[in-house]
């Protein structure tokens, strides 16, 4: 097919044209063959389209640098969609520079209404990247992530030098360096593709990074971030919630060329988002990966922000984070002194309670009714005046008290529900039995083991590492609960995509309630 400026674009199709269309966009210095393994796995259910980006493969190579500008690349994508899916929005999955140009397309006006979902791999928006660097460099706490990404991006500076990168590719040095950094998964790019593709960097990097114009993506976005990518750090790839109101994030074991390394994983993750955007229920894997967005449907109204469970321990911001679990809302009074009204008892199952047994409260100790029991304060310690933190989680107290003041609609704390969650409780200790009972009361499906990847693992027999490997391999996040702080620290380092909780000491029932609260704080926006 022919793009708007006359550039010919080579396109390949597979699968049923009547099925939802998935368009795969490759990066540098690849051609469309990088998607062969992924396309083969998707073609039995979808209409799969791959094409050679201008300057690569069988497509034309523009003679002028401005022929590689992001606007021209977006026009190529629009022309492809006109040919392969003229009457129905298509789904994008893109890698490296294919992802960079797709971010530009889905956040612009040219393809508004033409894209149903977008899965991004190892390629941030240049506008978002420019804003990300500026934000990080304004404060010392952000210097570390920014400097790490700058080290990973030094090759971009090299690509700006005239003639030298071309000489490196033609002499064979470039291919050897690529193989050394990325292994055999990088493939053997054609010299012509590598040389002409340098214009992608020269035509776009300076202008976009120096004058970023971040625009939000209106479509559901899934970010697949390889943890061992030597070119794009997970921090840069995944910190996009501000620009993607409906966002799912998966941190995957693998390198930059993960479409070749693990095509089954990329195909599975892509298919889950496509199915969801087409109206299917959200899969368990997507629910674990949700960073922000609606509870019921990817095409519905954006919901309140939730946490990406793959990010590890919660990084609270001043924004209010309310979660929905079924029809129950679980939030908390968040870093604000309680009002007079909130110092009184909350509505929990039986209704409001002014004081224990109707007696006036003592000023220093506000005793609340929670579930079927009474709590004098959080974890039994005296409450601080002005911060009364009793919340219901399952059958126990305290959910979470973090963030900004609670809104009017969330002043009532409800019992946290885990309907639809799969929880594996390994072991026969008193704590394991208490945790199993607590999760079961909260609606979770509790097992001793099984072939599925669980949402939560409570381990009291030393098998946490086995479950961690199983969870990390799918890249869907998950939560591990164990007793050994040293082992927890090792697992956090080894599997940064998982959240690891230390159960702590105390009675088994109290430890189980504490675990439910921690899981509720770190989970996604619900079921």
């Amino acid at each position: 097919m022919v793009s708007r400026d006359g550039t010919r674009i080579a396109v390949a199709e597979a699968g049923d044209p009547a099925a939802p269309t998935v368009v795969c966009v490759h990066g540098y210095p690849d051609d469309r063959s990088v998607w062969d393994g992924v396309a083969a796995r998707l073609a039995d259910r979808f209409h799969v389209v791959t094409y050679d980006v201008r300057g690569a493969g069988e497509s034309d190579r523009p003679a002028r640098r401005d022929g590689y500008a992001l606007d021209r690349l977006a026009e190529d994508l629009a022309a492809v969609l006109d040919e392969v899916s003229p009457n129905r929005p298509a789904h994008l999955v893109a890698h490296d520079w294919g992802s960079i140009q797709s971010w530009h397309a889905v956040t612009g006006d040219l393809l508004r209404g033409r894209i149903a979902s977008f899965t991004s791999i190892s390629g941030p928006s240049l506008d978002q990247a420019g804003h990300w660097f500026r934000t990080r460099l304004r404060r010392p706490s952000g210097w570390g992530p920014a400097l790490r990404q700058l080290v990973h991006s030094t090759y971009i500076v090299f690509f700006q030098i005239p003639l030298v990168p071309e000489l490196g590719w033609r002499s064979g040095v470039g291919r050897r360096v690529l193989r050394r950094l990325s292994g055999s998964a990088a493939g053997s790019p054609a010299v012509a593709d590598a040389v002409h593709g340098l214009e992608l960097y020269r035509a776009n990097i300076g202008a976009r990074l120096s004058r970023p114009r971040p625009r939000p993506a209106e479509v559901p976005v899934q970010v697949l971030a390889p943890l061992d990518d030597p070119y794009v750090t997970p921090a840069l790839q995944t910190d996009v919630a501000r620009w993607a109101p409906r966002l799912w994030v998966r941190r995957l074991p693998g390198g930059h060329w993960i479409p070749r390394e693990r095509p089954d994983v990329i195909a599975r993750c892509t298919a889950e988002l496509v199915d969801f955007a087409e109206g299917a229920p959200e899969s368990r894997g997507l629910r674990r990966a949700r960073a922000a967005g609606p509870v019921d449907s990817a095409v519905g109204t954006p919901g309140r922000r939730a946490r990406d469970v793959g990010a590890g321990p919660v990084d609270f911001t001043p924004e209010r984070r309310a979660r929905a679990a079924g029809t129950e809302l679980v939030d908390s009074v968040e870093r604000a002194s309680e009002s007079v009204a909130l110092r009184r008892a909350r509505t929990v199952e039986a209704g409001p309670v002014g004081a224990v047994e109707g007696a006036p409260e003592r000023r220093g100790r506000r005793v609340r009714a929670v579930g079927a029991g009474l709590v004098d304060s959080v974890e039994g310690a005296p409450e601080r005046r002005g911060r009364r933190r009793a919340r219901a989680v399952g059958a126990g107290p305290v959910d979470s008290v973090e963030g900004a003041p609670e809104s009017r609609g969330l002043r009532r704390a409800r019992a946290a529900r885990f309907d639809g969650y799969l929880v594996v409780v390994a072991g026969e200790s008193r704590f394991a039995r208490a945790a199993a009972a607590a999760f079961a009361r909260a609606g979770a499906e509790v097992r001793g083991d099984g072939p599925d990847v669980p949402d939560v693992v409570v381990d009291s027999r030393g098998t946490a590492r086995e479950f961690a490997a199983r969870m990390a391999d799918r890249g869907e996040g998950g939560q591990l609960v164990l007793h050994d702080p040293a082992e927890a620290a090792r697992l956090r380092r080894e599997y940064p995509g998982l959240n690891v909780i230390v159960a702590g000491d105390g009675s088994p029932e109290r430890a189980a309630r504490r675990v439910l609260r921690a899981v509720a704080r770190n989970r996604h926006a619900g079921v």
Side-chain angles (χ1 to χ4, degrees), residues 336-413:
S337 298
E338 280 188 308
S339 65
V340 173
L342 285 178
R343 287 176 185 168
R344 300 190 180 100
R346 315 292 190 275
T347 303
V348 183
E349 294 183 359
V353 187
V356 178
E357 299 299 331
E361 290 185 310
R362 294 169 52 193
R363 289 186 64 187
R365 304 211 173 203
R366 314 300 190 198
V367 185
R368 313 284 195 282
V370 182
L374 300 178
V375 288
D376 179 45
S377 63
V378 178
E379 297 301 325
E383 289 186 303
R384 293 174 53 193
R385 291 178 60 190
R387 297 205 181 201
R388 315 305 185 209
R389 303 182 178 182
R391 298 291 180 275
V393 178
V398 192
D399 182 4
S400 94
V401 185
E402 311 289 348
E406 187 179 42
S407 67
R408 243 182 195 178
L410 295 175
R411 286 178 182 170
R412 294 176 181 177

Side-chain angles (χ1 to χ4, degrees), residues 122-197:
S122 292
S125 161
L126 293 184
D127 291 311
Q128 294 163 8
H131 185 272
W132 185 86
F133 275 112
R134 289 180 177 217
T135 302
R136 294 301 175 279
L137 293 174
R138 286 194 189 112
R139 58 183 189 272
S141 61
W143 293 354
L147 291 175
R148 280 192 292 274
Q149 180 56 58
L150 287 172
V151 170
H152 283 263
S153 301
T154 51
Y155 70 96
I156 295 177
V157 178
F158 174 72
F159 284 172
Q160 305 299 320
I161 303 172
L163 301 177
V164 177
E166 287 89 339
L167 180 60
W169 282 113
R170 291 192 171 102
S171 67
V173 173
R175 186 176 294 177
R176 289 195 294 272
V177 171
L178 186 67
R179 183 64 63 91
R180 183 180 183 88
L181 290 174
S182 303
S184 60
S188 298
V191 172
D193 293 351
V195 169
H196 287 90

Side-chain angles (χ1 to χ4, degrees), residues 16-284:
D16 182 3
T21 297
V22 178
V23 178
C24 305
V25 190
H26 71 81
Y28 174 86
D30 300 311
D31 57 27
R32 67 177 188 264
S33 67
V34 74
W35 295 111
D36 286 351
V38 175
R41 289 163 172 81
L42 292 175
D44 59 342
R45 296 187 53 220
F46 305 110
H47 176 214
V48 183
V49 177
T50 60
Y51 70 95
D52 288 326
V53 173
R54 57 173 60 202
E58 299 176 271
S59 294
D60 286 350
R61 295 174 169 83
R64 294 167 53 89
R65 178 169 297 174
D66 58 7
Y68 291 88
L70 287 173
D71 288 340
R72 304 289 81 74
L73 298 169
E75 290 170 359
D76 294 348
L77 178 57
V80 170
L81 293 178
D82 289 342
E83 292 286 336
V84 302
S85 188
N87 302 314
R88 183 178 184 179
H91 304 266
L92 291 184
V93 53
H95 174 248
D96 188 77
W97 261 97
S99 184
I100 291 173
Q101 72 177 72
S102 294
W103 272 110
H104 181 74
V106 301
T107 57
D109 295 326
L110 180 63
L111 293 176
R112 191 178 301 276
R114 303 293 307 279
I115 306 300
S117 73
F118 172 38
T119 295
S120 169
I121 310 168
S122 292
S125 161
L126 293 184
D127 291 311
Q128 294 163 8
H131 185 272
W132 185 86
F133 275 112
R134 289 180 177 217
T135 302
R136 294 301 175 279
L137 293 174
R138 286 194 189 112
R139 58 183 189 272
S141 61
W143 293 354
L147 291 175
R148 280 192 292 274
Q149 180 56 58
L150 287 172
V151 170
H152 283 263
S153 301
T154 51
Y155 70 96
I156 295 177
V157 178
F158 174 72
F159 284 172
Q160 305 299 320
I161 303 172
L163 301 177
V164 177
E166 287 89 339
L167 180 60
W169 282 113
R170 291 192 171 102
S171 67
V173 173
R175 186 176 294 177
R176 289 195 294 272
V177 171
L178 186 67
R179 183 64 63 91
R180 183 180 183 88
L181 290 174
S182 303
S184 60
S188 298
V191 172
D193 293 351
V195 169
H196 287 90
L198 292 169
E199 298 301 331
L200 293 168
Y201 295 87
R202 295 166 178 171
N204 299 294
I205 291 289
R208 291 290 172 174
L209 291 182
S210 61
R211 294 184 297 276
R213 293 172 292 173
R215 301 166 295 185
E218 297 178 355
V219 303
V221 175
Q222 176 176 223
V223 173
L224 306 182
L227 293 171
D228 300 317
D229 194 322
Y231 310 108
V232 188
T233 61
L236 177 58
Q237 294 184 61
T238 60
D239 190 8
V240 295
R242 180 175 181 179
W243 317 115
R246 289 174 285 175
L247 176 66
W248 290 259
V249 173
R250 308 195 202 211
R251 291 165 172 81
L252 302 172
H256 182 76
W257 269 275
I258 196 169
R260 282 199 183 103
E261 292 175 355
R262 309 189 69 195
D264 55 329
V265 173
I266 301 303
R268 174 177 53 78
C269 295
T270 300
E272 288 183 6
L273 184 63
V274 171
D275 288 338
F276 184 51
E278 291 287 330
E282 188 180 30
S283 68
R284 178 176 282 136

Side-chain angles (χ1 to χ4, degrees), residues 438-455:
F439 274 109
R441 285 195 301 269
E445 177 185 353
V446 181
R447 300 181 187 174
D449 199 349
D452 296 330
V453 176
D455 298 288

